[in-house]
Amino acid sequence: MKFPGPLIEGRLVRRYKRFLADIELADGSLVTAHCANPGAMLGLNLPGSRVLLSASTNPARKLGFSWELVEADLPGGLQWVGINTMRPNALVAEAFSDGRLAPLAGYASLRPEVRYGRASRVDFLATGEDVPPCHAEVKNCHLLREPGLAEFPDCVAARSARHMDDLTEVVAEGGRAMLIIVVQMQAERFDVARDLDPAFDRAFARAASGGVEIHAYRCRIDPTEITIADPIPVVSRV
């Protein structure tokens, strides 16, 4: 997925009110960018960090910039990390369209935002001939506290825990369901950050033991594009 235009470099001054970030641009000017990330962003919001912004082409939009990438000094060294949680669904849709999403091979279409469960909307419903419909939930991952180990969530994620239970119910009723974790950085394996959200860990374990398929994919990231690259192992503690 190529960014719509060249990204603009700056330095993070502060991230605040969850969805706002003040950025100092190369010319010394200060702008406020939209931070499309409700999480804690542990290790990714240090003042002075090098960041990249996309510019909006919508003149009616209140904030003219969106924070896309941060160069983070993570275990293992510096790397670009995608922090925009609006990107993973588009990345999954692109990978599916390109035939690079093996768990959904044989499906003809992905329909977004379909109602299911207890007043939830699943990210995608995959359909096709001679295959059962598949409910696919997508989660963004950008937490890395140990070399090579991507973790989710980075804070309490009650809504995500509910999604896991909804997927578990789909399987219990005879359907197919999966969780696709999009790791917007380089990592070698994935696990649940159970110390940060024990309730999500329990819901994740119920889902895995109940037949929900769990898949994690790392991304290839550079200042021009983000692409789902290849699957990484999911650490199983079920």
Side-chain angles (χ1 to χ4, degrees), residues 153-188:
D154 68 350
C155 62
V156 173
R159 183 168 175 266
S160 294
R162 189 186 76 232
H163 289 160
M164 299 308 297
D165 286 336
D166 286 340
L167 293 178
T168 304
E169 189 173 333
V170 168
V171 177
E173 293 176 351
R176 185 186 181 197
M178 70 174 58
L179 173 67
I180 301 173
I181 301 149
V182 176
V183 180
Q184 283 202 75
M185 59 185 174
Q186 281 297 304
E188 303 301 324

Side-chain angles (χ1 to χ4, degrees), residues 178-208:
M178 70 174 58
L179 173 67
I180 301 173
I181 301 149
V182 176
V183 180
Q184 283 202 75
M185 59 185 174
Q186 281 297 304
E188 303 301 324
R189 61 201 189 282
F190 169 83
D191 196 6
V192 173
R194 49 190 52 80
D195 60 317
L196 298 181
D197 191 350
F200 177 82
D201 181 41
R202 292 191 294 270
F204 182 92
R206 287 193 297 270

Side-chain angles (χ1 to χ4, degrees), residues 91-101 110:
L91 289 168
V92 166
E94 178 186 72
F96 174 82
S97 179
D98 292 345
R100 295 185 287 107
L101 212 58
L110 281 182

